[in-house]
Amino acid sequence: MLNKTQKIAIYMEGHLDSDYGKMGFGVMRYGVNPVCCVIDSVYAGRRVSEACRLPFDYPVVAGIGEAAALGAQVLILGTAPSGGRTPPEWEAPLREALSLGLSIVNGLHDNLNERFGHLLKTGQWVWDVRRPTFTPAIAAARAAALDNKRVLLVGTDMAVGKMSAGLEIHRWLRGRGHDAAFLATGQIGITLTGRGIPLDAFKVDHACGAVEHMVMEAAGHDIVFIEGQGSLLHPGSSATLPLLRGSCATHLIMCHRARATHLRQPHSVKIPPLKDFIRLNEEVARVCGSLSAAATLGVALNTAHLDDAGARAAIDQLEQEVHLPVADVVRYDAGKLGALLL
């Protein structure tokens, strides 16, 4: 529903400087719509670059009314509260946005059409991104018969940059004339590309089939990037297995936060040696040889929290440890990993 010309405001209340704002960060970094402003009363009157590490000059305002006055037509909910539920304190701002004529992009689990649909005026809409639009067939490893390259982004934790790494390498290949597709599996990627599957909203029995359906639709592309979700390491994540099964990936790219030794939540879970974890993902992908063997191309290392010298040292150290190419494809260049697919 979101067209490229509509002016957007990104709702980041209380999270412009936290990892819970990854929806908004993704839209700012990779979106194509003109951004009027970002909403976060904590940083009102400043610019985005003054509140977080992103190098954007968008103004930060305190509320919905100011965003509307700046010409915003669409409000994108840019934060992801724990559990993906709409906080009660958002009720008033959402009603205000609708009363001022703004449409809403909702990446949370709650169905806002059911709650606010009666308030919509002509031409106004609510896009509940995380609502499955079809019921897939049960997966049957059909993608294993394809002759293209299917690259799945996997990770050691949640929110380590799997989507960003995929988009950056995809963009690098497309910029050099190669036939590559990016398949979104989460709310941010769907919002950015306008298509994909909200993987975590499918029933468990349907998740593998949803991935398979999406991959089969992209069968005509030479290289297909499948956006990763979660991690085999995370006790609260069930997303990696259907991604591996449904895509029958031929290649993996491991995504990791530099120098992380434990999951951020729960911090009690230790990250094993990366070389061992890479091997585990490969073994799960090939299921003792019954499905396609997936080779890990390299590691996309998130060094955003390090200075330049620290980032380069972390890359060099990890390359010696895992004996694979390592790159921060956001901070530096995606060609180091992208070229490996050619």
Side-chain angles (χ1 to χ4, degrees):
M1 291 186 179
L2 181 65
N3 71 54
K4 297 178 181 180
T5 63
Q6 289 178 302
K7 298 177 181 179
I8 63 173
I10 306 173
Y11 191 73
M12 303 282 287
E13 182 59 34
H15 290 293
L16 183 52
D17 59 354
S18 86
D19 289 337
Y20 287 110
K22 70 174 189 175
M23 173 75 160
F25 300 151
V27 171
M28 281 186 262
R29 189 184 294 279
Y30 298 111
V32 296
N33 289 72
V35 179
C36 290
C37 62
V38 172
I39 301 171
D40 186 345
S41 60
V42 176
Y43 288 99
R46 305 186 196 179
R47 300 282 170 170
V48 167
S49 58
E50 297 176 275
C52 64
R53 291 186 295 266
L54 293 182
F56 298 115
D57 201 36
Y58 305 133
V60 184
V61 301
I64 304 293
E66 293 172 78
L70 289 171
Q73 299 167 283
V74 178
L75 181 70
I76 293 183
L77 304 185
T79 71
S82 181
R85 311 311 299 246
T86 310
E89 59 268 23
W90 286 16
E91 179 87 11
L94 292 177
R95 287 183 175 274
E96 182 182 5
L98 293 172
S99 72
L100 292 172
L102 276 69
S103 295
I104 295 175
V105 175
N106 167 39
L108 304 180
H109 282 297
D110 291 336
N111 188 334
L112 296 190
N113 267 293
E114 288 184 355
R115 189 184 304 183
F116 299 117
H118 64 287
L119 300 176
L120 297 176
K121 306 177 183 71
T122 302
Q124 200 175 16
W125 45 263
V126 173
W127 180 15
D128 289 311
V129 177
R130 256 174 162 152
R131 309 301 294 180
T133 58
F134 68 100
T135 300
I138 300 300
R142 292 186 297 153
L146 301 178
D147 61 0
N148 59 2
K149 295 176 182 177
R150 299 176 301 283
V151 187
L152 174 62
L153 287 298
V154 293
T156 53
D157 200 354
M158 309 279 199
V160 290
K162 294 180 286 290
M163 181 198 72
S164 298
L167 285 171
E168 292 287 350
I169 302 170
H170 168 257
R171 183 163 60 183
W172 185 90
L173 288 165
R174 294 279 295 182
R176 285 152 182 79
H178 299 288
D179 178 25
F182 178 85
L183 307 185
T185 61
Q187 70 272 22
I188 307 173
I190 296 171
T191 300
L192 293 171
T193 64
R195 59 186 305 171
I197 60 166
L199 181 61
D200 60 2
F202 279 91
K203 294 180 179 179
V204 172
D205 285 353
H206 295 157
C208 294
V211 175
E212 183 177 89
H213 175 86
M214 178 177 64
V215 171
M216 295 304 294
E217 281 194 329
H221 294 281
D222 295 338
I223 303 172
V224 176
F225 290 91
I226 302 98
E227 179 189 1
Q229 300 292 334
S231 171
L232 288 179
L233 263 181
H234 200 292
S237 172
S238 59
T240 305
L241 195 58
L243 286 165
L244 287 167
R245 294 287 190 269
S247 69
C248 296
T250 58
H251 298 81
L252 305 177
I253 292 176
M254 179 59 65
C255 302
H256 178 60
R257 182 176 289 102
R259 298 179 180 169
T261 58
H262 294 74
L263 300 187
R264 285 184 297 173
Q265 289 293 335
H267 194 66
S268 58
V269 178
K270 184 178 180 179
I271 298 174
L274 200 58
K275 195 171 183 178
D276 294 342
F277 189 61
I278 287 170
R279 185 167 58 251
L280 172 65
N281 279 265
E282 292 176 342
E283 289 174 351
V284 172
R286 68 173 58 98
V287 197
C288 303
S290 63
L291 291 180
S292 54
T296 301
L297 287 172
V299 179
L301 191 65
N302 183 338
T303 67
H305 54 293
L306 304 176
D307 61 19
D308 182 69
R312 294 184 185 279
I315 290 170
D316 291 342
Q317 179 182 347
L318 194 59
E319 280 192 337
Q320 295 175 25
E321 177 185 330
V322 299
H323 305 296
L324 287 170
V326 178
D328 186 330
V329 298
V330 174
R331 186 173 196 158
Y332 300 120
D333 182 71
K336 187 174 183 179
L337 298 185
L340 299 173
L341 286 161
L342 304 180

